[in-house]
Amino acid sequence: MDWHNATLNFLGLTPLEQTILSTLTEPRNPSDIARLTGEVRTSIAYNLSKLQERALVECITSGKRKLYVARSPAEIRRLLEKATEAAGTPIAGARVKTTREDEFVIHVGAAEIVPAFARILLEIKNDRVKAIQHHLSYTDQVAVLTKEQAVAINEAIIKNRVIVDGLLNESAYNEYERKIRKNPEAYRAQIETLGGRMADYGVFPDDRLKAHAEIWIFKTTTLIINWHDKVAIEMTNADMTTLMRDMFEHVKSASRKIDHNAMMRELRELLGSHA
């Protein structure tokens, strides 16, 4: 862990404390730390006691010897989460960047998921997006997205000439029709803009992939969204995305091709009859 990183300034570490923590990647005694840092042992002992009080350093007793080791990044995060929750503002999501290219993000709540979903889609132009969505997930999505958000996302897909390579369950459109008849206004914004996409759709059996979650696969990023529980995982990793794309193609090979835009025209006509 880079204790000199500016993002840790809120810990209020002194330069010496940062240096001491940097040496504690493994258990060491004060004499070892003094030798590595060039500081006097009494100064090291004093600063270790202060770091221990702040739970940034753990003391390990080995016989009569006392060894010290810095808390791991995971332990620091847990401590921060506990402190934040105690203050009444729990941490919503998490972000881990493993390399310059690879990043893993957990989005919690509609306020985090919707912007992430829109951001990824808006960045794509003249490319294909693969998606697997059971009607259970679509119903949840409609309940979460506002009409304005739904229209903006769908219009961006059309404007940016994004081809949606989608897989739905067999009776999805029948379910959409049933829900439109029951509550046309809840679906009007979504349905009216879903047509006109460049689409390549197929359907799979209703009892397969039956979940309140959906998968969106982009060039190097995969987004798994559970609209019902309002949590999403954004994975930017070439190998993982390649695996997801291959899994998608495997499911698609067993699907039945359908004309998505033709089905949307029928649903829009149904909406028109309920205007």
Side-chain angles (χ1 to χ4, degrees), residues 9-176:
N9 285 346
F10 70 94
L11 293 174
L13 296 171
T14 67
L16 179 54
E17 287 175 333
Q18 292 173 327
T19 299
I20 291 172
L21 286 166
S22 297
T23 68
L24 297 181
T25 54
E26 59 184 75
R28 300 186 190 277
N29 62 36
S31 296
D32 292 332
I33 302 168
R35 177 175 50 80
L36 290 169
T37 61
E39 296 289 334
V40 296
R41 190 182 184 283
T42 53
S43 178
I44 295 297
Y46 173 78
N47 281 277
L48 281 173
S49 66
K50 293 299 180 183
L51 290 170
Q52 194 176 356
E53 287 176 4
R54 292 152 68 185
L56 296 174
V57 163
E58 183 179 6
C59 180
I60 304 169
T61 303
S62 177
K64 293 184 179 181
R65 299 176 66 205
K66 287 187 176 181
L67 303 177
Y68 298 86
V69 64
R71 297 280 187 179
S72 69
E75 289 174 322
I76 295 296
R77 175 175 172 78
R78 281 194 292 271
L79 291 170
L80 288 173
E81 286 177 347
K82 287 181 180 179
T84 310
E85 288 171 4
T89 52
I91 295 174
R95 180 183 299 269
V96 178
K97 193 167 185 65
T98 55
T99 68
R100 183 177 297 179
E101 295 81 18
D102 297 346
E103 188 173 38
F104 302 85
V105 186
I106 298 175
H107 302 286
V108 180
E112 286 192 19
I113 296 173
V114 175
F117 185 48
R119 167 178 51 80
I120 298 172
L121 282 172
L122 291 173
E123 289 174 353
I124 299 169
K125 290 182 173 62
N126 303 310
D127 204 352
R128 298 180 81 91
V129 172
K130 300 180 183 297
I132 300 177
Q133 183 187 62
H134 195 280
H135 79 262
L136 292 175
S137 184
Y138 178 73
T139 301
D140 295 331
Q141 183 195 92
V142 170
V144 173
L145 291 178
T146 66
K147 294 179 181 180
E148 293 76 16
Q149 289 168 338
V151 170
I153 290 172
N154 288 324
E155 287 182 345
I157 289 174
I158 296 170
K159 179 182 177 181
N160 293 340
R161 300 183 62 79
V162 175
I163 301 173
V164 180
D165 203 350
L167 292 173
L168 308 173
N169 61 301
E170 189 85 39
S171 63
Y173 293 102
N174 292 335
E175 284 295 322
Y176 302 158

Side-chain angles (χ1 to χ4, degrees), residues 98 101-105 220-222 234-238 240-241:
T98 55
E101 295 81 18
D102 297 346
E103 188 173 38
F104 302 85
V105 186
T220 59
T221 298
T222 298
E234 179 183 343
M235 302 182 295
T236 301
N237 177 274
M240 287 185 176
T241 302

Side-chain angles (χ1 to χ4, degrees), residues 239-255:
D239 283 342
M240 287 185 176
T241 302
T242 296
L243 173 64
M244 299 302 289
R245 293 172 77 90
D246 288 346
M247 290 175 63
F248 176 93
E249 293 301 334
H250 179 71
V251 175
K252 185 179 179 181
S253 67
S255 70

